[in-house]
Each structure stands twice: as C-alpha cells, then as structure tokens.
Amino acid sequence: MVRFFFIFLLVVDAAIGMTQSSQRKRVNFDEDWRFHFGNAADPTKDFNYRIAPIFAKSGATTNTALGVGFKDSSWRQLDLPHDWAVELPFVNSPNFDVMAHGYKPVGGLFPETSVGWYRKHFTIARKDSGQRFSVTFDGIFRDANIWVNGFYLGNNQSGYIGVTYDITDYINYGRDNVIAVRADASQYEGWFYEGAGIYRHVWLNSYNNTHVANDGIFASAEVKGNAATVSIETTIENQGQGTSACTVQTYVTERNGKVVAQSNEQPLTLLTIESKAVTQQVAVSQPHLWSLEDPYLYRVVTIIKQNGKVIDRVQHRFGIRTIDIKWNGVFLNGKHVKIKGTNNHQDHAGIGSALPDAMQYYRVRLLKELGSNSYRVSHNAPTPELLDACDSLGMLVIDEQRLLNSSPEYVYQLERIIKRDRNHPSVFLWSIGNEEGWIQTTTIGKRIAQSLLLKQKEWDPTRTSTYAADLPNVFNGVNEVIPVRGFNYRDSFVAAYHKDHPMQPIIGTEMGSTVTTRGIYEVDTARAYVPDQDITSPWWASTAEEWWTEAAVNDYWLGGYVWTGFDYRGEPTPYQWPNVNSHFGVMDVCGFPKNIYYYYQSWWTDKDVLHLSPHWNWKGKEGQLIDVWVNSNADNVELFLNGKSLGKKDMPRNKHLQWSVRYKPGVLEAVAYKKGKKLTSKVETTGAPVAIILKADRNSLLADNQDATVVNVSVVDQQGREVPDAGNQIQFSLAGSGKIIGVGNGDPSSHEPDKYFNGAWKRQLFNGKCQVIIQAGKEKSPIQLEAKSEGLKPAVVYFQQEIL
C-alpha cells in the first residue's frame, strides 16, 4: 500500500501580494521584445557569437548583441510567448528527426533557422535600488544562454524547466537595461514537435533582501475526521549585507478572504547570505476538500515582518485532500477513482507551443467534457498555467521528469520540477522517466531510479512515483524499485504481471493509440489518412476497446492514459509526408472530436451518449454498403433509414454497435433507451453549404494583451444543417484592438500556414471545420471577427473586452 495525506498549494504568482508594505512584485515581462534569427553554422550571421571574446572579461560585450548599446531597432518586435518553429514553412526532408518534429526546418541540418536571439529593454527607477531583483523564464526551447546588461547569467539546457536568476548586481537604475537571450534549438530533446524560442512567460520579480526563497514554500496536511492539520514549511533567505531579525507568520483564508486559521509570529534571525526553513502548523476545522467534482481552493498567506512592518508577503491558492494509492485503486478523499486519463504534448493548432494561458483552460475543459479525470504530461515538465487549469477545473496530473538520469544536470532539473510543482493539488504522482530502452532493464537503470526516488522523497515525501515502461511482464531494472508500475502498451501482460506482483499498484501510462483522421472513412495512402473509427493501431499498441474492456473491470488496473487526448505535431503514424502531425488523438489538433471521442465519453461519463457515424453524404455510393457505428452507453439501440427499421441490438458494456447499411440519401437515425429514457441521434444527407457559422468559446475577454478565445468555424446548408464534408476556404478579418494569433483545421496533411504576417488570414475547412484563435488587446473596446468565403453568406462574431 502507498498512502499519503496531502494539502497542496497552487502557486499563482499573479496573486502574490502587491501592497506597498510587502515590497514584493511579480511583473509580467512578455511585452515588447526584439527577435532575430542567428545562425548555428556561420558566426558572422550569428552576431559574431563564438568569435567575439565575450567570456574573456566580465561584461565585455559592449559591441555585441549581448550589450546595452547594441542597435536592435531593425529586429522584429513581438510579444511573448513566442514559438518561431510554428512560423516556419514545412519542408519535405528525408531526415527522420524533421519528420518526427512536424517537418519544420529546425535542428542540426537547418542552422539558419535553429538559433534565435531575443532582446528586452526595461527601466528600473532609482527609488527601487534598495530592492532585490530577479528574472524568471518559465520555458525556453532550448539551450538558452542569458545575459543582463552584457553580464552573463547562465545557461539553461532544459527546453521545459524554468529558471530564475538574481540580476540585482547588474541593474542600471534610472537608465536603459537589456536582457539578451540566445536560444539554440539545434539539438532536440524529444522525438516530437517541441517548438523553438521563449515560448512561455517571463517575469520580473522584486522583493526585500529578507524574503521567501524562490519556490520556498511547501505545505502538507494530515486530515483526520473533520479537521486538517496544515504544516507549512517556508524557506527564508537573507541576501542583505548584515544580520536580519524578522518574524514569520502564516494564515489560511477562504476564497472570500475570511481567515480560517493562522499561526503565531515566529521570530527568526538570519546571518548574511543565510537561509533557514521554518515549519508552522495551523488547524483547519471542517475543511472543504479538493476533489474532481468540487476543486475547492483556499488561500495560504505567508508574511515576513521586520520591526513590526511587513517586508514580504506571498499568497497562494491551495487545496486540501487525501490520496491513497493501493494495488486495487486510487482513492481521492477515501473515494475510489478509476483513472481515465489522456497523454498530451503541449502544442495546439495555429500557435504551436506558445499557448496563451486561456488555451490551457480551454484544452482541459475539453478533456473534462470527454470524461477524462487525469492528465499525463508527456514527456516534459508542464507550464505552470497548465497545472493552474487542472487545479481549478479538477483534473489529476502525472508530472513527468524528462529523462531517467541521475547526473547533476538532470537531478537539478528534477529538483526544479518538484519544488515548483509539489504544491499543486492536481499533481498526484511523479514520473521519473519514459521508455528508456537502453537502460530500463539494467542494473544501471535500477541504480539511477533508486537515486531519483530518494531525491523525490527528499523534496516531496507526500507523493510517490511511477515510470512509463514499454515492457511486458518484466521485473528487472527500474521495475524492481519503482513504487507504481507503469505500462506503456503491452496491456495483454498486465494480468500476468499483477499475478506475479499482486501488491504493486499498476497504471497504464500509455494505452490505446488508435490512429484516426477526423471525418475520413477509408484508407487514403495518397493523402495519408486513416479511417475515423476504432480499427487501426500500430503493432506496438491496441485499439480503445482492447485496452479499456480490460482496465474497466479489473481493480488491479488503477486506470490508464490514452495515447493521446489531442493530435500533435510530428510523429506521423502510420505514414510520413505529406502527414505533418500524428493521428493518435481522441481529438484533432484543434480539439474537434473524432468518433473515438464518443466511445470514451460513453464509458467514462454518466452522460446520455448516443453518437452515430459516419455522416450521410455519400453521393456516388448509392446502393453500396456503408459501415455504420453507434457509440452509446444506452441499454439498446435501434437503427432506422428513412423511417425503416434496420434492426435493434443490445449495447455490450464498454463496446460499440455496428450495422452494414446500403446507402440511400435521406436520414439515418438511431433510437435508444437508457433506463427507460429515450435517446435519439441522426445524420442527414445535406445540401451544398450556403452560410458560415462562427461559434466562440466565449465572447468576453480581459483587455490585458494576454487573454484569448477560440472560434470554431463550420458551414450549413439551406436548411441550417452542418455540412460535414465541406472544404471551403474561409478568409478572416479582425476589427478592434485584438489580434488573430493562429488558424488550423485538424487536417494532418495540411501544409497551409498557421500564421499570416500580411494580415490576410485564411484557412480551408477540413471535413467541415476550421478554427481561429483570437487574442485580446489592451483597450476596453469591442472586437469584431468576420469570416467570408466565395459563394457563402458571411458571419460575424463580437467580443467585449473588459479592464479589471
């Protein structure tokens, strides 16, 4: 048995106290950067990098792109997050890595588009010279060297783990300051699309010399009956020139700010350049537990005072819950939860890896609607905002380390992941690696795993770990020491493994891998499409029904994670070019459901599901047999064509129903009964499209230059019926202070641009659908999106922008 009691803090840095007395500020630093390509092969095209002696003397960078005086006015102006890879054209290169990375010209064979330079000018007032300052990069892909005012700060090898640097010593107060970043994406970390550039947020932090350390708060709780004892460990640093005497106090509030528990002020004395950890306990009576259905988040506030004055104040959201991981299930607050998860990479149609925060919430909501309750971050540390979304919406997370490696570099990466993310209530399990085929069955792999597990327990004793092994009933190597056995595929061996190791929890870290193309119903090798039904899977994988029928009914399966929730760029299977992204998703790269979506929704939710496929537009196939699928959780289903019954069938548990129907235009209808309740669903033969329909995820935006929304596009015929096989090209124009940041359509073989820099935004419908993503501006004024297409009635949608 693996048993833990938790309280978790979701670090929401935007919520950090901004009062003057606290002196702590966290300022979003995403706006107004300058960007220019370098060159990995030609130093003269790389601003003389590797030629100029920039490391010979500290700060000796005056006449280079690293210094303050360098003229960057001709560089491209942009806001972060920024992924330059998604902006590049597709290239049909035989190089395997390019194929795996979505046929984008990034990597060792493309030196001219694999290095990017960024510069940011900023000013800090002289009155703030008594503060400390640091800069945080949430994610740069990759191999990033960073300077401030020509002084080298450091190198961050990871393309996924953020890094924070103290820049206090290098600031020119009251004058121009410059951050310079050289990101080199020549070397990959994965075998899938990873993007390139500063694709996550950047923050400027300021605080007192005596302050809470970066990621310096860790809270846990023991829940007994109707009370929780909250233990909060806070690391305090003194970076001043003398001894610092202060007090530390922590209190917990409801959402509305009402204090429900607080500690006493604890005195603390710190010598120069000293840090100490302080542990305080508070009692919360009748705690409102965080759960999947009710993800309630408290606030915890830590205050440091000096001479009675607040000098630092840090506020977090947090959730109280318990987790029990046994051989026969995951128990959240004592309730058994079968894990119904999806694996996901981090890119989305139109925007690559540079997702606005709102897109994280959008994607998690889509997964919740599917019926998923857990998200495996595969295979990289997530952006903090993804975990924020999972905390807020109620989604459990497996948080994964990039590589099974115990070298100082990778141990440091693991430390940064755990300390940054350990306070999120959504994170219930760590993963120390994925499919390390060279070492996972060796004594070396075992020793590395043991070292990483010890470190995990040091930094987070409240959780345990898994490892995603693509192995059958094998117990040597990593599996000998991993607390929770992860299975990547090989699902037919799970029963035998459990029989041999009955007390070890087992979870399907990667399952399924059915390949489907939305709206396609035949194999098309020319365009590289596969049918949109649960019938095709690679040799190493299985269909949805093959794995879920086993996992659903056996308690020794904790559950599993489908490969994948969304299609993603790169790794096209079973084809290569012209495919530029995968077919694995339950949804496509836009988040449009495929038919397999309704299989999982049928058995992962209590919703009334009755889904009929394919569409019924088959001109030229009159009299030919059409394979009709019904996905439902009803008791029985009867199928009708133009009012004539084609038979009634009972719905087998965790499966689907099929009919072979001779095509005749008209209406194909399914009628089902679920516990006596009648359900109906139909597909109709439609006419030609006559009008565009725009459906926005939401129509109100925060005018902060960051907020975003999704607009899904379809077309309808004269009778208002959506035309499922339409391929019209749609042109978009935007009026107002917002902007379009990406377009997509879910076609895995489309080579249309995701970005347009001349304002002429457009996208072709793929099987009746496409998508446009809108980002807010800074003005409290309406935004108008208009969509046009030759021969179709245009459509307009409006968005209101609000200022807090």
Side-chain angles (χ1 to χ4, degrees), residues 52-351:
I54 57 176
F55 293 109
K57 295 288 185 180
S58 184
T61 56
T62 304
N63 297 318
T64 72
L66 309 172
V68 176
F70 179 81
K71 302 299 182 183
D72 56 19
S73 57
S74 64
W75 288 23
R76 176 184 166 192
Q77 186 176 1
L78 53 77
D79 295 337
L80 306 178
H82 174 236
D83 175 2
W84 82 67
V86 75
E87 301 172 351
L88 299 174
F90 298 99
V91 295
N92 184 10
S93 169
N95 178 266
F96 172 78
D97 285 334
V98 177
M99 179 273 289
H101 289 77
Y103 290 98
K104 291 293 186 176
V106 174
L109 296 179
F110 304 96
E112 67 280 1
T113 50
S114 294
V115 171
W117 287 83
Y118 296 85
R119 286 170 56 86
K120 163 79 172 178
H121 294 260
F122 64 102
T123 303
I124 294 179
R126 293 184 183 277
K127 66 181 179 63
D128 294 327
S129 60
Q131 292 281 86
R132 296 212 70 83
F133 291 88
S134 66
V135 61
T136 297
F137 294 87
D138 283 344
I140 307 172
F141 198 88
R142 74 172 285 279
D143 189 10
N145 286 312
I146 303 165
W147 290 261
V148 167
N149 293 336
F151 290 91
Y152 181 63
L153 296 179
N155 170 262
N156 185 21
Q157 282 287 320
S158 174
Y160 300 102
I161 308 301
V163 64
T164 298
Y165 295 108
D166 189 308
I167 62 173
T168 307
D169 293 346
Y170 315 116
I171 292 173
N172 298 315
Y173 292 99
R175 293 186 289 132
D176 190 30
N177 296 272
V178 172
I179 298 173
V181 178
R182 182 183 184 271
D184 188 344
S186 300
Q187 181 62 263
Y188 304 125
E189 288 191 51
W191 50 96
F192 41 84
Y193 179 88
E194 298 180 281
I198 308 179
Y199 70 99
R200 294 180 180 173
H201 294 307
V202 178
W203 307 90
L204 180 68
N205 315 297
S206 61
Y207 38 83
N208 193 279
N209 282 317
T210 301
H211 57 266
V212 176
N214 184 52
D215 294 328
I217 294 181
F218 179 44
S220 59
E222 184 176 0
V223 180
K224 290 185 177 180
N226 293 323
T229 302
V230 181
S231 180
I232 303 149
E233 180 185 287
T234 306
T235 300
I236 312 297
E237 292 180 339
N238 172 26
Q239 292 182 282
Q241 295 294 322
T243 300
S244 176
C246 62
T247 62
V248 182
Q249 184 181 28
T250 302
Y251 61 89
V252 177
T253 78
E254 299 276 7
R255 287 176 176 172
N256 61 9
K258 178 184 177 182
V259 176
V260 295
Q262 68 180 27
S263 72
N264 295 323
E265 292 187 25
Q266 183 170 339
L268 185 68
T269 300
L270 297 166
L271 302 178
T272 302
I273 315 300
E274 184 180 22
S275 66
K276 289 182 180 179
V278 173
T279 300
Q280 297 174 308
Q281 291 187 333
V282 297
V284 177
S285 61
Q286 302 292 330
H288 191 157
L289 300 183
W290 185 96
S291 67
L292 299 174
E293 301 78 19
D294 182 16
Y296 187 83
L297 296 168
Y298 289 92
R299 277 68 175 159
V300 65
V301 183
T302 299
I303 293 175
I304 304 175
K305 291 183 181 179
Q306 206 164 58
N307 299 321
K309 177 183 177 183
V310 175
I311 60 170
D312 198 12
R313 179 181 182 274
V314 180
Q315 177 176 301
H316 311 268
R317 297 186 302 169
F318 76 97
I320 302 174
R321 64 165 173 80
T322 68
I323 277 285
D324 228 342
I325 300 178
K326 306 178 184 180
W327 72 266
N328 62 342
V330 174
F331 295 84
L332 174 61
N333 302 325
K335 176 184 176 182
H336 180 261
V337 175
K338 178 73 79 170
I339 297 299
K340 303 168 183 175
T342 63
N343 289 274
N344 296 286
H345 289 315
Q346 61 178 357
D347 62 291
H348 189 90
I351 50 180

Side-chain angles (χ1 to χ4, degrees), residues 356-375:
D357 297 349
M359 292 300 299
Q360 306 291 355
Y361 287 81
Y362 179 77
R363 285 162 62 90
V364 172
R365 285 199 304 271
L366 292 181
L367 293 170
K368 289 276 288 187
E369 290 167 9
L370 162 69
S372 178
N373 60 20
S374 194
Y375 188 116

Side-chain angles (χ1 to χ4, degrees), residues 702-777:
L702 186 63
D704 61 356
N705 210 40
Q706 297 269 344
D707 200 7
T709 188
V710 169
V711 181
N712 291 327
V713 185
S714 60
V715 292
V716 295
D717 69 3
Q718 194 67 45
Q719 297 182 47
R721 299 172 299 189
E722 187 172 299
V723 182
D725 54 350
N728 307 69
Q729 187 174 85
I730 312 294
Q731 294 86 38
F732 302 101
S733 59
L734 196 72
S737 65
K739 58 186 177 182
I740 300 174
I741 59 172
V743 288
N745 63 8
D747 181 355
S749 295
S750 174
H751 301 154
E752 297 175 272
D754 293 276
K755 307 277 189 180
Y756 288 86
F757 296 100
N758 59 1
W761 289 88
K762 59 185 177 181
R763 194 68 167 191
Q764 186 173 344
L765 297 173
F766 177 63
N767 290 322
K769 297 182 183 296
C770 72
Q771 185 177 86
V772 57
I773 301 171
I774 308 298
Q775 191 163 46

Side-chain angles (χ1 to χ4, degrees), residues 12 72 274 370 500 585 587 600 647 653 697 774 789:
V12 181
D72 56 19
E274 184 180 22
L370 162 69
D500 292 340
M587 292 174 275
Y600 284 113
R653 186 75 182 169
D697 174 51
I774 308 298
S789 182

Side-chain angles (χ1 to χ4, degrees), residues 14 370 397 622 684 712 797:
L370 162 69
V397 175
E622 287 78 5
E684 298 184 60
N712 291 327
V797 64

Side-chain angles (χ1 to χ4, degrees), residues 501-522:
H501 312 284
M503 300 310 294
Q504 185 181 21
I506 298 172
I507 193 164
T509 37
E510 289 179 24
M511 288 289 131
S513 282
T514 303
V515 285
T516 58
T517 308
R518 179 180 59 79
I520 298 294
Y521 293 96
E522 58 187 5

Side-chain angles (χ1 to χ4, degrees), residues 568-633:
Y568 55 93
R569 299 163 190 273
E571 214 170 19
T573 305
Y575 305 108
Q576 297 184 15
W577 185 271
N579 270 179
V580 295
N581 66 254
S582 79
H583 298 264
F584 294 117
V586 176
M587 292 174 275
D588 67 18
V589 292
C590 295
F592 295 131
K594 304 181 188 180
N595 288 320
I596 199 172
Y597 174 101
Y598 299 98
Y599 169 76
Y600 284 113
Q601 191 180 57
S602 295
W603 307 116
W604 282 8
T605 74
D606 293 325
K607 297 178 182 178
D608 295 333
V609 179
L610 179 60
H611 177 72
L612 189 59
S613 62
H615 58 73
W616 211 237
N617 285 7
W618 297 107
K619 185 176 181 180
K621 290 192 175 185
E622 287 78 5
Q624 297 182 31
L625 288 173
I626 302 294
D627 194 22
V628 175
W629 286 47
V630 174
N631 289 113
S632 180
N633 50 16

